[in-house]
Amino acid sequence: MKFLRLLLILFVAPLFAQQGGMWVPSLLKGMNEAEMKNLGMKITAEDIYSVNKSSLKDAVPHFDGGCTAEVISPKGLILTNHHCGYDNIQSHSTVEHDYLTNGFWAYKMEEELPNKDLFVTFIVRIEDVTSKVTEGVASLATEAEKQKKIQENIATLNKTLPKESWQENQIKTFFDGNQYLLFVTETFRDVRLVGAPPSSIGKFGSDTDNWVWPRHTGDFSLFRIYADKNNRPAEYSKDNVPYTPKHFFPISLKGIQENDFTMVMGYPGRTQEYLPSFAVEQIVNELNPAKIEVRDAALKVQDGFMRKDNAIKIQYASKYASVANYWKKWIGETKGLKKSDALSIKQKFEKDLQTKIEKAGKQAEYGNILNEFKTNYANIREYALARDYFTEVVQRNTEILSFGFRLYQLEQVYNSKGEQAFNDRKNNAITTFEGLYKDFNANVDEKVFEQLINIYATKSPKQFLPSTLQNINATQLASDIFKNSKLTSYNGLKELLNGDAKSVIEKLNQDKGYALVKSISDVYIKNVFPRFEEMNLKNIALQRTYMKAILELSPKSARIFPDANSTLRITYGKVKGYKPADAVTYTPITYLDGVIEKYIPGDYEFDLPKKLVDLYNTKDYGRYADKNGKMPVAFIATNHTTGGNSGSPALDANGNLIGLNFDRVWEGTMSDIYYSPEICRNIMVDARYILFIVDKFAGAKNLVEEMKLILPSKK
Ligand code: ARG
Ligand code: ASP
């Protein structure tokens, strides 16, 4: 047994070690290209990113600034997730045309639906501009001055660096301020909705299955990019024409198996892989548990109401999903960090680094970083905790408090900028509030308030508690506020905001709800926020030096990748199952059979369209079934992804599309802080399931015809 383990460590570990990381596509030559080929890739780094010829990167735009999409036809057809296109699908939906419930398909281009404000951004080229950005910075004395100078340099360079008139320059920092890269981009603003399956397919499993493997969601939607007659970006016009891409992905129907090479290109938003152990310890033991407790309480209350009352379910479904998404992620993350012993791994890494610093004679520059981190994280602890409680309780999860906080900011605007600014902002606020109150139910929020204010009063650091929250009876306070405050209805709010600035502010301050929010916010804004910012700035500066030390003192072969920052990255690995718990093994592919197993007629998470059940019963899968006649639905692999990678193309060894990324497995959500190839997996919809839905379920042959399909060779 011992021998076997040793063998495993010796042979499996180095192989696994080639996985993980989100790499910059223009910097793959060398180590990454060698690893990718070793894992089975058949194409070259130049095929993925090239400035001279078309390459894969030309088919991968950032979708609406938050998700990823990929071009899958010569006519600018793009694929992304259902949850990424959700708002647009929703905005076209009415009671008569409920596209969220029933799906939407354009059978002709004229039927495609324009979307105000939706945009996609392509990358034209990437260049290193570090020396330009850091010019004149080193000689400055304070961190604040340095940051200011860097921001000035970036602003100037964005304006002056060469680009075409229809392009943009965007400079982003990598490795916490140790490298700056310029992205020259093209943004298209005429993007039309082409197709979306019913939510019972596109959101199948909803919150229960969110972050979960085995998964059975057909999380995709289709859009099309339109350009002007010169194929350049243009605002919406009926005269625009379908965009001709420099590259589009052929779609492979050949199928996948465990251990196949895969890679994912996309725009991961934010990771923190190089946090020191002190920070990770705080996240695991204090910050995540605090945030989870608050959301747990809020979600339980809302769920109770939603299950009993259909109108409330409709009002709260989308809010609930968004709060539940990160609640569930943090629980998985915390468990995963503990189980993988990320803390000890970080501590050992730090000890080794300290030794290297001493060996290299770099004590003067780096010798004290870890000590400073330790002190600084100890000092920031209470402030960070207070900040999270404030954010979660006041700004995010108790609606009446979040409304009050918006008004509090309005009063601040009056104090700092005067009547005119106040009125502008007030008018905007009234419009925003109309939308917020539409989905507000005072009975639900009173119960949320009662739970959350109690957590705030008993769990958040005592020294930042206003007198209004000392020794409270939460039930009494809740009923008092909800009986007396005008913030409990839109009409009440409008009454409060009616009049000139002076009288509005007077009325606000007499309102019990507002007065409570103000007392909490005053303490936060005066005693927590500035100190937090000050120490956070120190941590940012330390992190930059720490990262510099890591880059400088690690061996050439070390796999050091920059944290995600919403720029284009590539990650690669293998299709692979995992072991989530003792005696449990998950295989890497799910099938339509599993969708049917989960089917609960009439349920709001697990219902299915009749047509899909019929297609299953008759096994009418056409050319999309696998070689055993089964319909694949989703699969997992060791690609290192995060929020923002939703909608990313999953590609095979030849750069053909085999799937669409949309999630990660729950046990591996810690990958934002510590990636472990043993348990971190990304989840993708199989391209064959997407085509089956488009073709067989929706009958949108027009769309399949414009794609390039790669069929399995007949034996
Ligand atoms: N967990 C996925 C990602 O973070 C999907 C979220 C959308 N789905 C949902 N049921 N809320 O964002
Ligand atoms: N579901 C995430 C997204 O929307 C992807 C992830 O966090 O893995 O980007």
Side-chain angles (χ1 to χ4, degrees):
M1 191 55 221
K2 258 207 177 125
F3 179 67
L4 205 96
R5 272 184 72 157
L6 193 74
L7 261 179
L8 270 174
I9 291 168
L10 279 177
F11 293 99
V12 180
L15 248 185
F16 257 145
Q18 299 182 335
Q19 293 158 70
M22 310 169 164
W23 307 90
V24 180
S26 55
L27 305 171
L28 297 175
K29 281 182 189 154
M31 182 192 72
N32 295 126
E33 188 175 30
E35 282 184 355
M36 292 165 94
K37 290 200 159 157
N38 199 12
L39 290 167
M41 185 176 75
K42 302 266 167 40
I43 57 175
T44 65
E46 181 76 10
D47 294 326
I48 295 171
Y49 175 91
S50 170
V51 247
N52 306 311
K53 59 177 182 110
S54 76
S55 53
L56 301 193
K57 73 116 171 61
D58 296 320
V60 189
H62 207 181
F63 183 86
D64 214 15
C67 281
T68 305
E70 54 275 5
V71 190
I72 53 166
S73 94
K75 295 178 193 164
L77 186 65
I78 57 172
L79 178 63
T80 188
N81 290 142
H82 187 264
H83 79 259
C84 295
Y86 199 84
D87 289 346
N88 298 293
I89 304 166
Q90 181 171 41
S91 74
H92 292 294
S93 296
T94 58
V95 179
E96 299 84 54
H97 300 285
D98 186 350
Y99 301 141
L100 276 181
T101 305
N102 304 316
F104 168 81
W105 305 98
Y107 295 97
K108 296 191 213 86
M109 279 193 191
E110 303 85 83
E111 294 168 1
E112 297 174 358
L113 300 172
N115 299 284
K116 202 174 162 300
D117 298 333
L118 176 61
F119 62 95
V120 297
T121 305
F122 287 93
I123 287 167
V124 181
R125 61 175 188 276
I126 308 172
E127 276 165 37
D128 194 314
V129 290
T130 310
S131 58
K132 293 186 176 112
V133 169
T134 51
E135 214 170 272
V137 172
S139 59
L140 297 173
T142 67
E143 182 58 24
E145 283 172 319
K146 287 182 183 175
Q147 286 309 325
K148 188 162 163 265
K149 178 72 181 164
I150 287 172
Q151 289 319 314
E152 284 167 11
N153 285 352
I154 288 179
T156 317
L157 289 165
N158 276 339
K159 279 196 210 112
T160 53
L161 287 170
K163 63 166 185 65
E164 303 294 344
S165 60
W166 62 87
Q167 300 175 334
E168 307 92 34
N169 283 333
Q170 286 182 26
I171 295 173
K172 293 269 197 152
T173 176
F174 290 72
F175 296 115
D176 303 307
N178 285 286
Q179 186 183 34
Y180 290 87
L181 298 182
L182 164 73
F183 294 79
V184 180
T185 58
E186 284 181 2
T187 300
F188 290 81
R189 296 180 184 278
D190 186 351
V191 182
R192 304 184 195 169
L193 178 63
V194 173
S199 292
S200 52
I201 292 173
K203 215 188 156 178
F204 183 74
S206 195
D207 295 314
T208 299
D209 266 12
N210 191 22
W211 300 111
V212 164
W213 184 256
R215 190 64 155 276
H216 298 89
T217 315
D219 194 347
F220 79 94
S221 60
L222 291 159
F223 288 80
R224 191 187 305 282
I225 306 170
Y226 283 78
D228 71 10
K229 294 205 168 59
N230 301 315
N231 205 37
R232 288 192 192 139
E235 292 295 324
Y236 169 79
S237 158
K238 61 177 179 21
D239 300 327
N240 284 347
V241 293
Y243 170 66
T244 307
K246 293 193 203 100
H247 181 75
F248 68 90
F249 291 113
I251 303 176
S252 171
L253 302 185
K254 287 186 167 178
I256 43 156
Q257 337 175 17
E258 184 140 27
N259 291 317
D260 278 358
F261 172 83
T262 71
M263 57 186 170
V264 168
M265 291 177 85
Y267 296 81
R270 182 162 184 254
T271 58
Q272 299 175 287
E273 311 285 344
Y274 304 95
L275 282 181
S277 56
F278 319 104
V280 177
E281 192 267 331
Q282 221 161 81
I283 291 172
V284 171
N285 293 327
E286 308 218 19
L287 304 182
N288 274 1
K291 295 189 289 188
I292 292 164
E293 186 186 2
V294 173
R295 288 197 179 193
D296 203 37
L299 289 167
K300 275 202 184 103
V301 172
Q302 292 177 355
D303 185 62
F305 279 93
M306 283 162 71
R307 282 186 191 278
K308 275 186 276 175
D309 185 327
N310 206 39
I312 295 179
K313 201 192 90 195
I314 293 168
Q315 279 185 313
Y316 279 78
S318 168
K319 275 185 278 194
Y320 184 93
S322 128
V323 173
N325 193 31
Y326 265 64
W327 163 77
K328 199 163 176 182
K329 193 208 117 165
W330 291 325
I331 297 175
E333 178 177 274
T334 310
K335 283 194 175 187
L337 288 170
K338 281 188 185 157
K339 191 172 167 190
S340 62
D341 213 356
L343 212 55
S344 321
I345 295 170
K346 294 259 173 200
Q347 282 160 348
K348 179 170 181 314
F349 177 84
E350 286 158 14
K351 225 173 129 206
D352 290 350
L353 188 72
Q354 198 66 33
T355 314
K356 283 184 201 154
I357 291 169
E358 279 151 33
K359 272 202 186 130
K362 291 267 181 180
Q363 286 99 323
E365 198 177 346
Y366 303 131
N368 217 15
I369 310 173
L370 286 163
N371 276 332
E372 283 186 51
F373 261 142
K374 189 174 177 183
T375 316
N376 213 32
Y377 273 105
N379 290 340
I380 205 171
R381 171 175 248 109
E382 299 280 281
Y383 295 87
L385 199 58
R387 177 173 174 266
D388 276 352
Y389 275 114
F390 185 82
T391 313
E392 288 294 317
V393 172
V394 178
Q395 290 180 282
R396 179 82 212 230
N397 293 304
T398 319
E399 288 167 280
I400 196 171
L401 297 180
S402 73
F403 299 163
F405 187 69
R406 280 169 194 268
L407 298 170
Y408 176 78
Q409 290 174 308
L410 191 65
E411 184 175 352
Q412 305 284 310
V413 166
Y414 177 70
N415 295 338
S416 60
K417 298 200 178 117
E419 176 110 31
Q420 181 61 46
F422 174 88
N423 283 330
D424 291 347
R425 196 151 165 160
K426 184 181 99 174
N427 292 332
N428 280 335
I430 292 176
T431 320
T432 312
F433 274 123
E434 189 177 0
L436 294 174
Y437 276 100
K438 198 169 94 352
D439 290 335
F440 172 79
N441 180 302
N443 295 331
V444 178
D445 201 47
E446 180 174 342
K447 292 290 170 222
V448 172
F449 176 98
E450 184 183 327
Q451 296 287 321
L452 268 50
I453 209 71
N454 191 44
I455 294 177
Y456 199 92
T458 54
K459 301 284 179 72
S460 75
K462 291 268 174 299
Q463 67 272 37
F464 306 125
L465 220 51
S467 57
T468 47
L469 289 185
Q470 266 149 26
N471 307 316
I472 52 159
N473 175 328
T475 315
Q476 250 168 35
L477 184 61
S479 92
D480 186 27
I481 298 277
F482 279 78
K483 245 185 227 117
N484 294 305
S485 172
K486 290 215 161 30
L487 296 179
T488 52
S489 75
Y490 184 49
N491 281 337
L493 173 104
K494 280 195 295 191
E495 241 174 80
L496 283 175
L497 288 183
N498 185 23
D500 61 11
K502 263 224 168 80
S503 62
V504 169
I505 286 167
E506 224 179 270
K507 279 189 277 175
L508 283 176
N509 281 284
Q510 279 159 12
D511 185 272
K512 278 200 167 171
Y514 182 79
L516 179 70
V517 176
K518 188 170 174 174
S519 69
I520 306 172
S521 307
D522 270 343
V523 177
Y524 177 74
I525 296 292
K526 285 196 195 94
N527 301 345
V528 180
F529 185 70
R531 281 287 286 146
F532 175 85
E533 284 292 292
E534 189 188 320
M535 288 186 277
N536 194 40
L537 206 62
K538 258 195 214 160
N539 275 337
I540 290 171
L542 278 174
Q543 190 73 41
R544 185 177 61 225
T545 316
Y546 182 56
M547 197 68 232
K548 185 160 176 269
I550 295 174
L551 288 167
E552 228 172 84
L553 299 172
S554 301
K556 273 239 160 354
S557 60
R559 306 178 79 260
I560 306 171
F561 58 93
D563 269 316
N565 59 357
S566 296
T567 61
L568 184 62
R569 302 296 178 89
I570 187 156
T571 171
Y572 46 85
K574 291 187 164 208
V575 174
K576 211 150 195 66
Y578 70 106
K579 292 179 72 58
D582 188 31
V584 184
T585 304
Y586 284 156
T587 52
I589 303 172
T590 59
Y591 297 92
L592 193 56
D593 310 68
V595 177
I596 302 296
E597 274 171 17
K598 286 180 178 172
Y599 174 38
I600 307 173
D603 184 75
Y604 85 99
E605 296 191 305
F606 292 98
D607 201 7
L608 286 173
K610 179 176 179 300
K611 174 113 188 243
L612 187 66
V613 180
D614 289 346
L615 287 166
Y616 173 76
N617 286 333
T618 53
K619 302 289 176 284
D620 186 3
Y621 304 149
R623 55 188 168 170
Y624 307 112
D626 75 358
K627 57 181 189 300
N628 303 315
K630 287 172 53 155
M631 186 69 240
V633 171
F635 65 103
I636 51 174
T638 59
N639 298 301
H640 188 177
T641 55
T642 188
N645 270 120
S646 276
S648 295
L651 306 167
D652 68 6
N654 296 306
N656 296 323
L657 192 82
I658 50 173
L660 174 66
N661 184 74
F662 70 102
D663 209 0
R664 278 172 287 163
V665 305
W666 195 59
E667 299 83 359
T669 49
M670 63 174 184
S671 64
D672 289 346
I673 293 172
Y674 171 66
Y675 174 88
S676 160
E678 278 169 48
I679 199 138
C680 296
R681 298 289 178 273
N682 70 313
I683 309 180
M684 298 150 277
V685 201
D686 195 300
R688 291 169 293 179
Y689 189 53
I690 297 173
L691 287 175
F692 161 73
I693 297 294
V694 173
D695 188 342
K696 287 282 176 180
F697 176 82
K701 302 248 186 267
N702 54 313
L703 300 177
V704 181
E705 268 157 23
E706 58 177 283
M707 302 173 193
K708 180 173 166 187
L709 304 187
I710 299 185
L711 304 173
S713 42
K714 293 237 162 64
K715 276 185 209 117

PDB file of all heavy atoms in Angstrom, residues 1-9:
ATOM      1  N   MET A   1       0.834  -1.211   0.000  1.00  0.00           N
ATOM      2  CA  MET A   1       0.000   0.000   0.000  1.00  0.00           C
ATOM      3  C   MET A   1       0.869   1.261   0.000  1.00  0.00           C
ATOM      4  O   MET A   1       0.684   2.158  -0.810  1.00  0.00           O
ATOM      5  CB  MET A   1      -0.907  -0.029   1.246  1.00  0.00           C
ATOM      6  CG  MET A   1      -1.991   1.030   1.202  1.00  0.00           C
ATOM      7  SD  MET A   1      -2.984   0.902  -0.297  1.00  0.00           S
ATOM      8  CE  MET A   1      -3.167   2.618  -0.690  1.00  0.00           C
ATOM      9  N   LYS A   2       1.846   1.257   0.914  1.00  0.00           N
ATOM     10  CA  LYS A   2       2.755   2.398   0.966  1.00  0.00           C
ATOM     11  C   LYS A   2       3.452   2.573  -0.379  1.00  0.00           C
ATOM     12  O   LYS A   2       3.585   3.674  -0.892  1.00  0.00           O
ATOM     13  CB  LYS A   2       3.818   2.155   2.046  1.00  0.00           C
ATOM     14  CG  LYS A   2       3.524   2.914   3.314  1.00  0.00           C
ATOM     15  CD  LYS A   2       4.809   3.206   4.062  1.00  0.00           C
ATOM     16  CE  LYS A   2       4.518   4.014   5.284  1.00  0.00           C
ATOM     17  NZ  LYS A   2       5.033   3.401   6.505  1.00  0.00           N
ATOM     18  N   PHE A   3       3.874   1.444  -0.913  1.00  0.00           N
ATOM     19  CA  PHE A   3       4.584   1.456  -2.184  1.00  0.00           C
ATOM     20  C   PHE A   3       3.704   2.052  -3.290  1.00  0.00           C
ATOM     21  O   PHE A   3       4.140   2.866  -4.093  1.00  0.00           O
ATOM     22  CB  PHE A   3       4.998   0.021  -2.517  1.00  0.00           C
ATOM     23  CG  PHE A   3       5.714  -0.074  -3.834  1.00  0.00           C
ATOM     24  CD1 PHE A   3       6.979   0.495  -4.009  1.00  0.00           C
ATOM     25  CD2 PHE A   3       5.126  -0.723  -4.905  1.00  0.00           C
ATOM     26  CE1 PHE A   3       7.632   0.411  -5.217  1.00  0.00           C
ATOM     27  CE2 PHE A   3       5.774  -0.795  -6.121  1.00  0.00           C
ATOM     28  CZ  PHE A   3       7.035  -0.237  -6.291  1.00  0.00           C
ATOM     29  N   LEU A   4       2.443   1.646  -3.249  1.00  0.00           N
ATOM     30  CA  LEU A   4       1.510   2.133  -4.253  1.00  0.00           C
ATOM     31  C   LEU A   4       1.357   3.649  -4.170  1.00  0.00           C
ATOM     32  O   LEU A   4       1.341   4.357  -5.169  1.00  0.00           O
ATOM     33  CB  LEU A   4       0.149   1.470  -4.031  1.00  0.00           C
ATOM     34  CG  LEU A   4      -0.679   1.425  -5.305  1.00  0.00           C
ATOM     35  CD1 LEU A   4      -0.498   0.070  -5.977  1.00  0.00           C
ATOM     36  CD2 LEU A   4      -2.147   1.658  -4.997  1.00  0.00           C
ATOM     37  N   ARG A   5       1.277   4.105  -2.935  1.00  0.00           N
ATOM     38  CA  ARG A   5       1.147   5.556  -2.757  1.00  0.00           C
ATOM     39  C   ARG A   5       2.348   6.296  -3.283  1.00  0.00           C
ATOM     40  O   ARG A   5       2.237   7.331  -3.921  1.00  0.00           O
ATOM     41  CB  ARG A   5       0.947   5.893  -1.283  1.00  0.00           C
ATOM     42  CG  ARG A   5      -0.514   5.868  -0.914  1.00  0.00           C
ATOM     43  CD  ARG A   5      -0.700   6.295   0.477  1.00  0.00           C
ATOM     44  NE  ARG A   5      -0.486   7.729   0.651  1.00  0.00           N
ATOM     45  CZ  ARG A   5      -1.018   8.379   1.653  1.00  0.00           C
ATOM     46  NH1 ARG A   5      -1.792   7.741   2.509  1.00  0.00           N
ATOM     47  NH2 ARG A   5      -0.785   9.653   1.802  1.00  0.00           N
ATOM     48  N   LEU A   6       3.519   5.710  -3.020  1.00  0.00           N
ATOM     49  CA  LEU A   6       4.748   6.323  -3.478  1.00  0.00           C
ATOM     50  C   LEU A   6       4.746   6.383  -5.007  1.00  0.00           C
ATOM     51  O   LEU A   6       5.050   7.405  -5.618  1.00  0.00           O
ATOM     52  CB  LEU A   6       5.943   5.503  -2.966  1.00  0.00           C
ATOM     53  CG  LEU A   6       7.273   6.236  -3.115  1.00  0.00           C
ATOM     54  CD1 LEU A   6       7.355   7.335  -2.067  1.00  0.00           C
ATOM     55  CD2 LEU A   6       8.435   5.271  -2.940  1.00  0.00           C
ATOM     56  N   LEU A   7       4.347   5.250  -5.594  1.00  0.00           N
ATOM     57  CA  LEU A   7       4.261   5.196  -7.050  1.00  0.00           C
ATOM     58  C   LEU A   7       3.325   6.288  -7.566  1.00  0.00           C
ATOM     59  O   LEU A   7       3.637   6.998  -8.516  1.00  0.00           O
ATOM     60  CB  LEU A   7       3.701   3.843  -7.474  1.00  0.00           C
ATOM     61  CG  LEU A   7       4.713   2.801  -7.931  1.00  0.00           C
ATOM     62  CD1 LEU A   7       3.994   1.530  -8.290  1.00  0.00           C
ATOM     63  CD2 LEU A   7       5.529   3.315  -9.108  1.00  0.00           C
ATOM     64  N   LEU A   8       2.188   6.412  -6.894  1.00  0.00           N
ATOM     65  CA  LEU A   8       1.209   7.411  -7.290  1.00  0.00           C
ATOM     66  C   LEU A   8       1.806   8.809  -7.239  1.00  0.00           C
ATOM     67  O   LEU A   8       1.656   9.600  -8.163  1.00  0.00           O
ATOM     68  CB  LEU A   8      -0.013   7.346  -6.365  1.00  0.00           C
ATOM     69  CG  LEU A   8      -1.120   6.404  -6.827  1.00  0.00           C
ATOM     70  CD1 LEU A   8      -2.204   6.322  -5.775  1.00  0.00           C
ATOM     71  CD2 LEU A   8      -1.702   6.884  -8.158  1.00  0.00           C
ATOM     72  N   ILE A   9       2.496   9.076  -6.135  1.00  0.00           N
ATOM     73  CA  ILE A   9       3.082  10.404  -5.976  1.00  0.00           C
ATOM     74  C   ILE A   9       4.135  10.649  -7.061  1.00  0.00           C
ATOM     75  O   ILE A   9       4.183  11.691  -7.692  1.00  0.00           O
ATOM     76  CB  ILE A   9       3.686  10.568  -4.562  1.00  0.00           C
ATOM     77  CG1 ILE A   9       2.549  10.613  -3.539  1.00  0.00           C
ATOM     78  CG2 ILE A   9       4.529  11.835  -4.474  1.00  0.00           C
ATOM     79  CD1 ILE A   9       2.989  10.474  -2.108  1.00  0.00           C
TER      80      ILE A   9
END
